[in-house]
Amino acid sequence: MTIAIRYVLFAIVSTLVNFATQEAVIRVAPLGLSILAGTAAGFAVKYVLDKKWVFYDGYTSHGDEARKVTLYAAFSVLTTMVFWGFEIAFWIIWQTDLAKYAGGAIGLAIGYAAKFALDRRFVFQAAAA
C-alpha cells in the first residue's frame, strides 16, 4: 500500500473520530465546543497514525519529538482554519447537520492534502526521504 493511500485512509479514520466526537459532545455542549473537541480528538489520532504508519517515524528523543509535535500542530492550525471555515460556513448557510458535516468533510479533504505535503517535507522529513 502506498504512502498516499495510507495517508488518505488514516485521514478518513481521523475524520470519523472527529465527527463521532463532535456528535457525542454536541449532546452536552454548544456547537463551538463540539467542533473543538472533535478537532482535538482527530488531531491526536492522526498524529499517531501518520508518525507510525505513514512516515514510519521512530522515536529519537524528547526534544526531537517535541519539535515534531510542535511543527505538526503549527501546520494543523492552518489546515484546521480551512476545515472550520467550510464547516461553519455550510452550517450558517443551510443550518442542518448534513450541511455542517459535508462542509467539514470538504474542508478536511482540502486541509489534509496540504498537510500531507507540509508533514512530508518538514515534520517527518528524515523518515520520508
Side-chain angles (χ1 to χ4, degrees), residues 36-110:
L36 202 60
T39 300
F43 173 86
V45 167
K46 188 77 168 76
Y47 179 80
V48 170
L49 292 173
D50 284 354
K51 179 177 176 53
K52 184 104 172 142
W53 298 103
V54 173
F55 298 106
Y56 299 111
D57 185 65
Y59 178 84
T60 54
S61 70
H62 292 321
D64 190 46
E65 197 62 30
R67 180 194 64 79
K68 289 176 188 176
V69 170
T70 301
L71 277 173
Y72 194 88
F75 294 142
S76 293
V77 169
L78 295 174
T79 57
T80 296
M81 297 311 283
V82 172
F83 156 54
W84 282 356
F86 274 85
E87 185 170 35
I88 292 167
F90 276 49
W91 170 252
I92 289 170
I93 293 167
W94 290 286
Q95 295 187 6
T96 67
D97 287 342
L98 178 60
K100 179 175 82 82
Y101 289 126
I106 292 167
L108 282 170
I110 293 167

Side-chain angles (χ1 to χ4, degrees), residues 12-30:
I12 292 167
V13 168
S14 176
T15 300
L16 293 174
V17 167
N18 183 321
F19 289 169
T21 302
Q22 282 190 49
E23 193 58 34
V25 172
I26 194 77
R27 297 176 189 285
V28 296

